[in-house]
């Protein structure tokens, strides 16, 4: 066991040590993966050392590295080694985080970390929350709370969000049942923030139609552009209309650690619930997210269950059973990861790492502006910048195709990976720079290479 374990550690540490010299990823076809991995269920086992050889040879090289310093696509996943160790220990000791009896230390650590987080967002003493698998789950649970605490059973409820809101909100509404809760999308302004006037109007219109406005989902850092809605304004509207106010801070909630950004977060302390995703910009391995709520009892009001076969774990209110505050009974010890890394590095180093990401996106914006033909579509905001390469006289479609081709070529090169999105009808290239291990040179080289690809392609392209 030790020998195998040391080998696994070597694989991980080699990965951390040599990542920047590797390709960001190599997109392989299904057929290629079938050829390597397809087999019938093995009836006899194999030597675990040989299995690790196979893993090193066939699994490790066929991954896209979300933690690579030049992975700028979607949302990078620059995790840290202390959290890897926490995950390893949690799994190795098979810690059960469903109830106090299963692991008093785990429950207490989760209580402590949740309190650190609710204090950070200045939620009241009554506040609480729990660790969940991801932002999608946290947002779904928030909407379940909204329905339970605000919706009148006989009315069709309406939730409001902006056109920049993550698609998991629409999925959550689908799960809740569109006949019970509708989702109404509000336009965004030129900075991709929800239009407050339009929100107020929509609420009045829906009331006029006999529907019941139930919840508003605001963004603290949109996936597309890192924009933060006007939280103060939305807080006022929610308070006046008695709506559940949820903030999706899955991507950008952590930006509150940068004092230069704090103005953006004024009002967040009035939220009924906040989703954050430590597996994004809090440098945690995947499946580390949290739902924070204004009042911990709002969770147990909805999720508390005590069947006969669990009576032995029903100790007292003090000895918390986290399974009564969420969907999962059997839960892994997710809080351990954030606890171990916050204790190791301290909040100040987390803040420095977050500021670095914000600064790197600002550098990327400066670099883009140096090259002819490039247009910044959304300036750097919370680590994200979007841009487009233009050619005079080209149609919108042709420009969109060109930008897609530039990204595809960059991905093929293995040097860096970016992704695309659509903003108010334009297809743009999007760069998300939240990995603190990214260097200034990584950014400069990536923009330089994008420009070289763009100019070469534009030169050889035929006119419309
Ligand atoms: C703003 C926002 N909300 C929600 C999600 C969904 O989170 P998860 O992928 O952890 O389910 C994302 C993911 O990118 C996001 O950026």
């Amino acid at each position: 066991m030790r020998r195998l374990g040391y080998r696994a550690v070597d694989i991980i540490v080699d990965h951390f040590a040599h990542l920047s010299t590797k390709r960001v990823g190599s997109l392989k076809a299904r057929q290629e993966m079938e050829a390597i991995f397809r087999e019938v269920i093995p009836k006899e086992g194999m030597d675990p050392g040989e299995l690790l050889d196979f893993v090193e040879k066939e699994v490790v090289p066929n991954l896209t590295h979300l933690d690579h310093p030049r992975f700028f696509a979607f949302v990078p996943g620059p995790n840290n080694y202390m959290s890897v160790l926490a995950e390893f220990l949690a799994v190795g000791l098979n810690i059960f985080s469903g109830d106090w009896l299963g692991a008093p230390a785990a429950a207490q650590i989760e209580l402590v970390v949740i309190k650190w987080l609710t204090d950070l967002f200045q939620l009241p003493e009554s506040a609480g929350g729990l660790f969940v698998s991801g932002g999608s789950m946290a947002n779904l649970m928030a909407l379940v709370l909204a329905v339970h605490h605000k919706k009148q059973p006989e009315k069709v409820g309406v939730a409001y969000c902006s056109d920049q809101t993550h698609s998991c909100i629409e999925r959550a509404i689908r799960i809740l049942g569109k006949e019970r809760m509708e989702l109404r999308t509000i336009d965004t302004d030129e900075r991709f923030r929800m239009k407050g006037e339009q929100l107020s109007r929509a609420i009045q219109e829906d009331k006029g139609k006999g529907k019941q406005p139930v919840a508003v989902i605001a963004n603290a850092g949109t996936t597309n552009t890192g924009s933060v809605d006007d939280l103060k304004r939305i807080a006022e509207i929610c308070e006046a209309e008695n709506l559940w106010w949820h903030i999706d801070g899955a991507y950008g909630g952590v930006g509150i650690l940068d004092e230069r950004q704090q103005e953006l977060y004024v009002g967040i302390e009035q939220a009924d619930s906040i989703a954050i995703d430590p597996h994004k910009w809090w440098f945690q391995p995947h499946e580390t997210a949290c739902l924070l709520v204004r009042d911990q009892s709002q969770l147990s009001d909805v999720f508390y269950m005590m069947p006969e076969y669990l009576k032995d774990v029903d100790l007292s209110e003090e000895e918390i059973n986290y399974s009564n505050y969420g969907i999962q009974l059997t839960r892994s010890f997710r809080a351990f990861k954030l606890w171990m890394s916050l204790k190791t590095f301290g909040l100040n180093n987390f803040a420095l790492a977050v500021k670095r990401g914000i600064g790197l996106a600002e550098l990327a914006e400066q670099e883009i502006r140096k090259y002819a033909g490039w247009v910044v579509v959304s300036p750097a905001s919370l680590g994200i910048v979007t841009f487009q390469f233009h050619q005079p006289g080209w149609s919108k479609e042709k420009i969109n195709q060109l930008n897609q081709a530039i990204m595809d070529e960059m991905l093929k090169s293995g040097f860096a990976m970016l992704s695309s999105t659509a903003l108010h009808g334009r297809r743009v290239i999007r760069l998300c720079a939240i990995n603190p291990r990214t260097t200034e040179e990584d950014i400069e080289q990536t923009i330089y290479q994008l420009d070289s690809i763009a100019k070469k392609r534009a030169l050889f392209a035929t006119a419309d």
Side-chain angles (χ1 to χ4, degrees):
M1 285 162 75
R2 287 186 208 282
R3 192 170 34 82
L4 293 169
Y6 297 149
R7 244 190 103 185
V9 168
D10 281 341
I11 293 174
I12 293 166
V13 176
D14 283 347
H15 167 80
F16 271 102
H18 303 299
L19 197 49
S20 64
T21 61
K22 288 189 186 166
R23 292 176 63 88
V24 175
S26 41
L27 189 58
K28 298 278 175 64
R30 170 73 184 262
Q31 264 182 342
E32 290 174 88
M33 295 299 99
E34 284 282 336
I36 299 171
F37 297 109
R38 175 67 64 196
E39 59 177 330
V40 295
I41 186 166
K43 294 230 168 72
E44 306 297 332
M46 70 182 282
D47 177 80
E50 282 175 24
L51 184 55
L52 281 178
D53 290 342
F54 179 75
V55 166
E56 269 201 281
K57 182 160 166 275
E58 303 293 6
V59 178
V60 177
N62 286 314
L63 303 171
T64 301
H65 303 299
L66 275 71
D67 47 356
H68 193 291
R70 289 184 301 280
F71 181 96
F72 301 116
F74 315 111
V75 181
N79 69 334
N80 78 91
Y81 190 58
M82 288 315 289
S83 294
V84 173
L85 294 184
E87 182 97 299
F88 185 55
L89 287 168
V91 174
L93 301 173
N94 210 11
I95 297 172
F96 180 89
S97 279
D99 53 50
W100 186 273
L101 188 71
Q108 184 60 37
I109 286 172
E110 186 156 352
L111 278 169
V112 167
V113 180
I114 291 291
K115 176 80 175 122
W116 289 346
L117 294 169
T118 55
D119 282 353
L120 190 68
F121 292 106
Q122 294 179 21
L123 294 178
E125 271 307 300
S126 58
L130 80 170
F131 277 75
V132 295
S133 56
S136 302
M137 179 60 89
N139 285 322
L140 168 65
M141 284 176 63
L143 285 174
V144 171
L145 293 183
V147 168
H148 185 92
H149 290 290
K150 296 284 184 192
K151 188 176 161 324
Q152 298 159 23
E154 67 285 0
K155 291 213 167 170
V156 174
V158 190
Y160 303 85
C161 67
S162 85
D163 61 20
Q164 295 299 304
T165 300
H166 193 273
S167 58
C168 68
I169 296 293
E170 196 179 334
R171 182 182 285 147
I173 294 287
R174 248 191 241 171
I175 295 169
L176 289 170
K178 281 182 179 165
E179 59 296 335
R180 279 206 302 163
M181 276 284 279
E182 293 175 358
L183 186 63
R184 184 151 180 190
T185 306
I186 307 297
D187 294 342
T188 46
D189 61 17
E190 67 298 337
R191 287 162 63 195
F192 304 99
R193 306 178 324 157
M194 191 191 293
K195 286 183 173 164
E197 284 300 314
Q198 206 185 95
L199 173 64
S200 299
R201 261 201 320 276
I203 291 170
Q204 299 315 323
E205 270 171 31
D206 287 333
K207 285 205 301 200
K209 288 182 194 156
K211 296 180 185 174
Q212 188 205 346
V214 170
V216 177
I217 300 104
N219 286 303
T222 61
T223 319
N224 273 343
T225 60
S227 305
V228 180
D229 286 328
D230 184 344
L231 302 182
K232 234 171 125 192
R233 176 86 202 278
I234 299 174
E236 282 161 15
I237 296 173
C238 288
E239 169 136 44
E241 298 289 341
N242 187 27
L243 305 183
W244 184 275
W245 186 32
H246 174 64
I247 298 182
D248 182 0
Y251 172 72
V254 72
I256 202 168
L257 292 182
D258 179 359
E259 62 280 357
R260 286 190 309 154
Q261 316 297 325
Q262 276 167 4
E263 191 60 26
L264 294 173
Y265 294 85
V266 173
I268 201 166
E269 69 288 347
Q270 292 176 51
D272 288 301
S273 52
I274 305 172
I276 61 162
D277 243 0
H279 66 203
K280 292 189 164 66
W281 206 355
W282 294 79
F283 318 111
Q284 302 304 308
H286 291 139
E287 301 219 4
T288 320
C290 300
L291 176 65
L292 307 175
V293 289
R294 187 156 208 84
D295 190 334
Q296 176 83 1
S297 65
Q298 290 167 328
L299 285 166
S300 51
D301 286 348
V302 177
F303 296 109
Y304 181 87
M305 289 281 174
M306 192 42 70
E308 286 305 323
Y309 44 83
L310 286 181
K311 281 275 190 282
D312 299 341
V313 306
D314 198 11
L315 302 175
S316 74
E317 288 262 313
E318 285 283 288
E319 277 81 37
I320 186 167
N321 290 334
Y322 267 108
S323 58
N324 276 329
Y325 292 81
I327 293 173
Q328 285 179 275
L329 170 56
T330 302
R331 306 169 71 238
S332 65
F333 186 16
R334 297 188 175 104
F336 204 24
K337 296 178 258 188
L338 192 53
W339 183 76
M340 286 265 283
S341 48
L342 275 168
K343 297 241 334 149
T344 303
F345 301 109
L347 191 64
N348 289 345
N349 278 313
F350 271 72
L352 282 176
V354 168
K355 278 189 220 172
R356 177 162 176 80
I358 292 170
L360 286 170
E362 287 164 358
L363 172 67
E365 180 187 336
Q366 277 169 34
E367 288 297 305
I368 293 152
R369 290 190 190 281
K370 280 186 192 162
Y371 292 94
W374 290 92
V375 176
V376 171
V377 179
S378 67
S381 171
L382 292 184
I384 298 173
V385 57
T386 68
F387 45 96
Q388 225 189 12
F389 185 68
H390 274 236
Q391 282 292 280
W394 283 30
S395 68
K396 198 169 141 189
E397 287 70 44
K398 203 159 174 211
I399 289 186
N400 286 349
Q401 281 165 12
L402 174 64
N403 281 274
Q404 189 64 50
I406 295 167
M407 267 186 335
D408 292 348
E409 194 169 327
M410 182 60 111
L411 175 60
K412 254 193 224 137
S413 79
F415 181 75
M417 184 167 164
L418 296 95
S419 53
S420 69
T421 190
L423 288 175
H424 293 171
R426 287 159 97 177
R427 197 92 217 140
V428 298
I429 300 179
R430 175 181 166 284
L431 182 148
C432 181
I434 61 172
N435 186 338
R437 290 185 284 264
T438 300
T439 63
E440 281 71 9
E441 203 188 338
D442 285 326
I443 296 280
E444 288 156 8
Q445 282 295 317
T446 300
I447 305 299
Y448 172 78
Q449 295 212 20
L450 277 175
D451 183 63
S452 308
I453 297 170
K455 301 270 158 71
K456 195 176 70 198
R457 286 201 161 254
L459 191 66
F460 291 114
T462 50
D464 269 340

